[in-house]
């Protein structure tokens, strides 16, 4: 199954901050989702993560999405919300690094990456 990009089409004027790499990008939310879906016995964890991980960053997750993901992963809605917020915080740090690539921000980001490894 090939993941369909989330959000407006590439030529759409609403195509503001969407990054096509999100379909396959390794993000904290994608890792959390793949791990939880795999643990719950899903045979298509990677495909499901390719649908929900980009939506998490581009559109956010609706209450219905969070409820469904909680059910599919065996997690609570609070667990899904925490993973969602952690991903957005990680994305915010990425944006900060892109917007202000001074050495202090770079150093902090490299420390964060090291702790995740």
């Amino acid at each position: 199954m090939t993941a369909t990009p989330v959000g407006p089409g590439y030529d759409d004027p609403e195509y503001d901050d969407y990054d096509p790499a999100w379909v396959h990008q390794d993000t904290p939310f994608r890792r959390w989702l793949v791990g939880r879906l795999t643990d719950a016995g899903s045979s298509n964890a990677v495909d499901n993560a390719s649908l929900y991980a980009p939506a998490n960053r581009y559109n956010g997750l609706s209450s219905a999405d969070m409820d469904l993901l909680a059910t599919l992963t065996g997690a609570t809605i609070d667990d899904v919300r925490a993973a969602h917020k952690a991903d957005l915080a990680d994305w915010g740090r990425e944006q900060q690094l892109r917007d202000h690539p001074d050495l202090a921000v770079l150093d902090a980001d490299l420390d964060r990456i090291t702790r995740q490894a």
Side-chain angles (χ1 to χ4, degrees):
M1 178 168 126
T2 302
T4 303
V6 176
Y10 298 119
D11 296 329
D12 194 305
E14 293 180 29
Y15 186 70
D16 49 1
D17 292 322
Y18 177 72
D19 182 349
W22 288 344
V23 173
H24 302 288
Q25 184 180 28
D26 181 35
T27 65
F29 188 73
R30 180 185 302 274
R31 288 190 299 273
W32 179 87
L33 190 55
V34 168
R36 292 301 297 243
L37 288 168
T38 301
D39 290 348
S42 174
S43 61
N44 56 355
V46 173
D47 289 337
N48 283 334
S50 292
L51 295 172
Y52 282 101
N56 181 56
R57 286 194 172 183
Y58 188 66
N59 296 319
L61 295 176
S62 69
S63 294
D65 290 335
M66 286 193 192
D67 188 46
L68 175 62
L69 290 175
T71 300
L72 292 174
T73 61
T76 66
I77 290 177
D78 287 339
D79 292 337
V80 176
R81 187 176 291 113
H84 160 74
K85 287 181 178 182
D87 190 60
L88 294 183
D90 186 73
W91 184 32
R93 286 187 295 272
E94 288 176 20
Q95 296 306 310
Q96 181 184 22
L97 182 59
R98 288 185 184 124
D99 294 344
H100 306 286
D102 59 15
L103 293 178
V105 174
L106 177 60
D107 186 52
D109 198 59
L110 291 173
D111 287 347
R112 177 187 58 82
I113 292 168
T114 300
R115 285 189 304 271
Q116 289 178 341

